[in-house]
Structures are given as C-alpha cells and as structure tokens.
C-alpha cells in the first residue's frame, strides 16, 4: 500500500482523473515493456493495453518513470493493464544515443532536478550549460549539486563559476560520502514533491541517492585513479520514496548529452548573452565586425568570456539543426545547413 499524497498525487492530477473504473498509480520502473506501478492498492507489474499500444505514435505517447497512469487489475492476478497516461507537469528527455532522430524519455512530473557535478578533475562548466538547458526544456526547476567537495581545494571559486552561468539557480556543494552539506538539500524533499538526479557517469549520484533516502538503494563504485572519472553504477531509471516525505527519481549517468529541442531553453540558459545582444548598436548585429557590438565589447572588457559565447553559438546551432530535422527530416536539414554555412549565416 502506498500513500498517493506522498507519491505526489495533487490537484493537478486529481482534476484530470475522471475515471470511475480504473485505478490510479505512478510508474516507478520500466524494463522490457513492463511497468512497475505503485498505487493505494499496492504494487503491480503492468503492460499497456493493445489499444493503447496501437494508438501511440511516438516515444512520449508511452508511459515513463514518474508518470501517473490509469490501469485495471487483471482478475485473479497480481498484475495490471495500463489504459491511459495523465497529462504531465514536466518531462525530462534527451535525444536517444545513435544516429536515429528519436527522443528518449528520462522521467516525468518532476518538480526539481538536481544537476549533479563533481568538484574534481571532471568539473566542466560547458557540460553544465548543456544540462541546464535540458532542465529548462523539461519544465522543472534546476538546482546544482556539486559533489566530492572534500576532493576540492577551491570550492568557493567553483561555486562562483557555476553561479555565473546559472542566474538565480541555487548552487550547493556537498560531500555525500560523509554527509557534509546534505542538510541543505532537505527543503527540496517535501511531502508530495518529486526530485530527480541527472549527471555524468561517476559524479556521485548513487552515493547522494543513498544519503537522501537513508538506505543503500544504489550500488556505488570508486572513481578511476587515472582521470578522476567514475563508472556507471545506476543502470536504469527508478523512483524511490523518501522516508520523511517526497519522491526521488534516479537516472543512469550519461557519457554524453544530446539535446532534443530547446530554442527557449537557450535563451534561459544564456540570459546574459541575450541581454547584451539587445544593447548592440544595430538590431541585426552579427556580433562579428560591426561597430557598437555590445557582445564583442563585453568580451574585450572581460565581462563575458569568449568560451561562454562560443558555447552559446554552438548550442544555438545545435537546436536550430534539431528544429530543421523535425520539420524537414535529416537529409534536407543537412542540405539547408550546408547552404547556410556557405552563406555565412550558420
């Protein structure tokens, strides 16, 4: 038996549920087409109905971890059939690994995403910008959690570096292994609230998960001594209940993050660059050789780093290409890209 309130079943989902015949539950894991669903009546392995399956067109039509689903219990069996998915509050996704243009769903209905990064040799501001874009695109609220502060001699400098690329986003440094700083994360872990953890392989997500939940729910491994990088320990997405209230969803570490979409997310992530662009002398300034360019002036003055501006341009081009692929397909999008590169407009 599970408390729907603790699982996050609030008025947003209650107002959508008009079914008098189906049970309501939340997906906690997914493996090989089997969804583990937690409900007030217990825990059930479920599959989508045949009708549901044939009506689904794309990846986001199917349930994912964190979704609220309507299901029925099969007579005489401890399993169920899913008939519908309630509208999501938020959806964390990325482009699936490989050549195909497919979306990979990571977790749904998240309130806060902990962007977990390690304060060791793997500290990477440019990667953090990509993760921040991903969270803005999802509709959830980002929080940076910098782990392994016991291995870092310049914690405050690194916190300041993150704050410079994440305007208004909370940044916390912790040593999860020794529970140093963990208490600052407790306010996010409230009854009915959902937190998800994302980050690269080996940044300490599993150790942090175990400390947040108060149990060894995830295996941990030591980092490699040669390059300070870690190994994959979490192998699938899973939803956990926090004893004192709330829900945490862990996700596997990512060696790379390919964005799915996000023009608006670029604007949110690079608010400083966007603000500077409005101060240029010419409205159509290309920020190259034009006089009165506020961005070029900011770089010369040291108010904006050239690395951050290059990252902004790179992510702009990446999201632009994703939009072209969605509209025209990969081959035509590539042709358009080549033409614009030759014109100097890409």
């Amino acid at each position: 038996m599970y408390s729907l309130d603790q699982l996050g079943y609030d008025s947003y989902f209650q107002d959508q549920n008009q079914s008098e015949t189906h049970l309501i539950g939340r997906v906690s894991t997914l493996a090989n087409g089997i969804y583990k669903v937690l409900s007030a009546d217990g825990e059930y392995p479920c599959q989508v109905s045949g009708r549901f399956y044939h009506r689904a067109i794309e990846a986001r039509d199917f349930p994912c971890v964190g979704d609220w689903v309507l299901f029925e219990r099969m007579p005489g069996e401890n399993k169920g059939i899913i008939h519908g998915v309630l509208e999501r509050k938020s959806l964390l996704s990325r482009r699936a690994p490989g050549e195909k243009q497919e979306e990979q769903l990571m977790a749904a209905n998240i309130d806060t995403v902990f962007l977990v990064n390690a304060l060791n040799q793997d500290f990477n501001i440019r990667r953090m910008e990509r993760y921040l874009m991903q969270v803005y695109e999802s509709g959830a609220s980002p929080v940076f959690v910098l782990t392994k502060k016991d291995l870092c001699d310049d914690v405050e400098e690194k916190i300041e570096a993150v704050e410079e690329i994440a305007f208004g986003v909370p940044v916390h440094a912790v040593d999860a292994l020794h529970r140093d700083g963990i208490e600052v994360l407790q306010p996010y872990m409230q009854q009915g609230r959902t937190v998800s953890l994302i980050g690269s392989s080996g940044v300490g997500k599993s150790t942090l998960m175990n400390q947040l939940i108060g149990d060894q729910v995830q295996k941990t491994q030591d980092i490699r001594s040669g390059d300070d990088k870690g190994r994959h320990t979490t192998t699938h997405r899973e939803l956990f209940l926090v004893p004192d209230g709330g829900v945490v969803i862990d996700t596997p570490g990512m060696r790379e993050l390919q964005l799915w979409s996000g023009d608006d997310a670029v604007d949110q992530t690079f608010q400083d660059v966007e603000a500077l662009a409005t101060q240029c002398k010419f409205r159509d300034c290309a920020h190259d050789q034009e006089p009165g360019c506020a961005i070029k002036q900011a770089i010369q003055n040291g108010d904006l780093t050239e690395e951050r501006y290059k990252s902004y341009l790179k992510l702009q081009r990446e999201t632009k290409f994703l939009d072209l692929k969605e509209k025209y397909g990969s081959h035509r999008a590539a042709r358009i890209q080549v033409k614009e590169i030759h014109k100097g407009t890409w």
Side-chain angles (χ1 to χ4, degrees):
M1 302 290 182
Y2 293 90
S3 163
L4 293 183
D5 290 340
Q6 184 177 6
L7 284 170
Y9 189 61
D10 57 22
S11 58
Y12 181 86
F13 302 108
Q14 293 168 13
D15 292 344
Q16 295 181 54
N17 185 8
Q18 305 299 321
S19 176
E20 297 180 357
T21 57
H22 295 144
L23 299 171
I24 184 76
R26 195 169 189 189
V27 177
S28 66
T29 61
L30 163 62
N32 301 318
I34 304 297
Y35 301 85
K36 185 166 77 174
V37 177
L38 311 183
S39 75
D41 285 354
E43 182 181 299
Y44 298 94
C46 296
Q47 291 178 285
V48 298
S49 69
R51 185 178 183 185
F52 186 113
Y53 183 85
H54 289 295
R55 284 187 171 184
I57 298 173
E58 55 188 0
R60 63 173 53 204
D61 293 333
F62 287 94
C64 73
V65 173
D67 266 326
W68 284 97
V69 295
L70 297 172
F71 72 102
E72 67 171 323
R73 184 177 175 180
M74 297 182 68
E77 298 186 64
N78 191 39
K79 58 184 178 180
I81 299 293
I82 295 173
H83 293 281
V85 179
L86 298 188
E87 182 181 335
R88 296 158 173 145
K89 276 185 180 179
S90 58
L91 178 62
L92 191 62
S93 69
R94 64 169 179 166
R95 205 187 101 184
E99 295 299 321
K100 290 185 178 180
Q101 178 71 4
E102 294 180 347
E103 184 179 22
Q104 183 182 66
L105 307 188
M106 300 174 66
N109 300 315
I110 305 157
D111 297 296
T112 304
V113 177
F114 286 170
L115 293 148
V116 186
N117 297 266
L119 287 166
N120 56 13
Q121 294 177 30
D122 200 34
F123 185 81
N124 188 316
I125 287 291
R126 304 283 80 86
R127 185 195 301 137
M128 293 182 201
E129 287 172 341
R130 295 179 72 86
Y131 282 127
L132 187 58
M133 272 190 62
Q134 183 188 30
V135 177
Y136 279 139
E137 183 66 16
S138 76
S141 298
V143 172
F144 276 102
V145 179
L146 308 180
T147 59
K148 306 184 181 181
K149 75 174 186 177
D150 56 314
L151 302 178
C152 180
D153 296 327
D154 57 346
V155 174
E156 292 304 321
E157 289 181 24
K158 284 186 166 62
I159 289 176
E160 289 178 9
V162 177
E163 289 175 339
E164 287 179 3
I165 61 107
F167 305 99
V169 177
V171 182
H172 304 294
V174 303
D175 171 10
L177 188 61
H178 303 101
R179 292 195 60 81
D180 182 9
I182 293 296
E183 68 281 354
V184 301
L185 305 180
Q186 294 306 319
Y188 303 103
M189 319 287 292
Q190 300 296 319
Q191 173 87 0
R193 305 288 289 176
T194 299
V195 170
S196 182
L197 280 67
I198 64 171
S200 302
S201 304
V203 296
K205 288 194 301 92
S206 296
T207 302
L208 182 60
M209 274 287 299
N210 291 337
Q211 297 290 11
L212 292 174
I213 297 174
D215 195 6
Q216 293 295 310
V217 295
Q218 298 288 49
K219 294 181 180 179
T220 61
Q221 292 185 15
D222 293 333
I223 59 173
R224 297 196 300 253
S225 58
D227 56 8
D228 253 5
K229 294 182 182 293
R231 307 174 178 89
H232 285 296
T233 49
T234 304
T235 57
H236 62 282
R237 297 158 190 87
E238 187 167 359
L239 180 152
F240 298 94
L241 291 180
V242 180
D244 295 332
V247 169
V248 179
I249 298 176
D250 197 11
T251 62
M254 292 177 281
R255 298 203 186 282
E256 62 175 335
L257 171 61
Q258 298 193 57
L259 302 173
W260 178 246
S261 62
D263 278 343
D264 292 340
V266 173
D267 296 345
Q268 285 183 282
T269 306
F270 294 90
Q271 297 173 38
D272 55 335
V273 182
E274 292 287 327
L276 284 169
T278 64
Q279 299 172 27
C280 291
K281 182 177 181 179
F282 300 105
R283 186 175 297 178
D284 60 348
C285 182
H287 317 304
D288 187 13
Q289 301 298 327
E290 295 87 348
C293 175
I295 286 179
K296 288 296 182 183
Q297 188 62 49
I299 292 174
Q300 290 176 12
N301 295 343
D303 297 327
L304 175 69
T305 66
E306 192 163 353
E307 290 78 11
R308 178 160 171 81
Y309 181 56
K310 286 179 179 178
S311 179
Y312 166 75
L313 294 177
K314 181 176 184 294
L315 291 170
Q316 261 199 336
R317 290 192 293 267
E318 190 171 331
T319 55
K320 183 178 179 180
F321 186 62
L322 287 171
D323 288 341
L324 287 173
K325 283 208 286 189
E326 186 175 353
K327 290 179 182 177
Y328 306 116
S330 297
H331 294 298
R332 188 176 174 189
R335 289 199 299 270
I336 294 172
Q337 182 187 45
V338 169
K339 285 182 181 178
E340 293 199 11
I341 289 173
H342 288 313
K343 289 180 184 177
T345 58
W346 190 272

